[in-house]
Amino acid sequence: MKLKHAFLAAATAMTAFGVGVAPAMAEPVLVKQVAPEYPRGAERRNLEGTVELAFQVNAAGAVEGVEVLSASMPGVFDNAAIEALEQWEFEEGSPGRGEITIAFQL
């Protein structure tokens, strides 16, 4: 059985936290990161790509309002990226906005 691979470009692609938030507030701190599942159809066809997402972190530390800003292959990896990001958790008390690019590579 072939192992599924999903690599997150989180360390280099996490940007723009705090946009529209007062400068005195701290940036949200990531406490739980969930990797996306590689879509089976994309894996079978040896497809790779990226999805750039914007999202909000609420005061409870939950991710909400996820939207796709761009995708190298629209519709192929979008849902997997969104589903993974919606499971991420941040420390409570530091709401904000962020952007991230999730890379899918075999």
Side-chain angles (χ1 to χ4, degrees), residues 1-7 35-41 43-44 105-106:
M1 183 167 133
K2 188 174 180 182
L3 292 177
K4 294 182 181 170
H5 303 279
F7 298 99
E37 286 197 32
Y38 216 97
R40 289 183 184 175
E43 183 179 28
R44 280 193 299 263
Q105 299 174 332
L106 294 171

Side-chain angles (χ1 to χ4, degrees), residues 14-18 23-30 90-91 93-97:
M14 195 78 114
T15 61
F17 259 119
M25 298 185 77
E27 290 184 0
V29 176
L30 182 65
F90 292 81
E91 284 185 358
S94 298
R97 284 191 48 81

Side-chain angles (χ1 to χ4, degrees), residues 8-73:
L8 298 182
T12 58
M14 195 78 114
T15 61
F17 259 119
V19 173
V21 177
M25 298 185 77
E27 290 184 0
V29 176
L30 182 65
V31 295
K32 178 186 173 190
Q33 182 177 358
V34 175
E37 286 197 32
Y38 216 97
R40 289 183 184 175
E43 183 179 28
R44 280 193 299 263
R45 294 180 289 166
N46 291 319
L47 298 177
E48 297 183 336
T50 59
V51 180
E52 184 180 358
L53 303 166
F55 62 98
Q56 295 180 3
V57 176
N58 65 26
V63 172
E64 57 187 22
V66 178
E67 60 183 281
V68 175
L69 298 177
S70 67
S72 62
M73 301 188 77

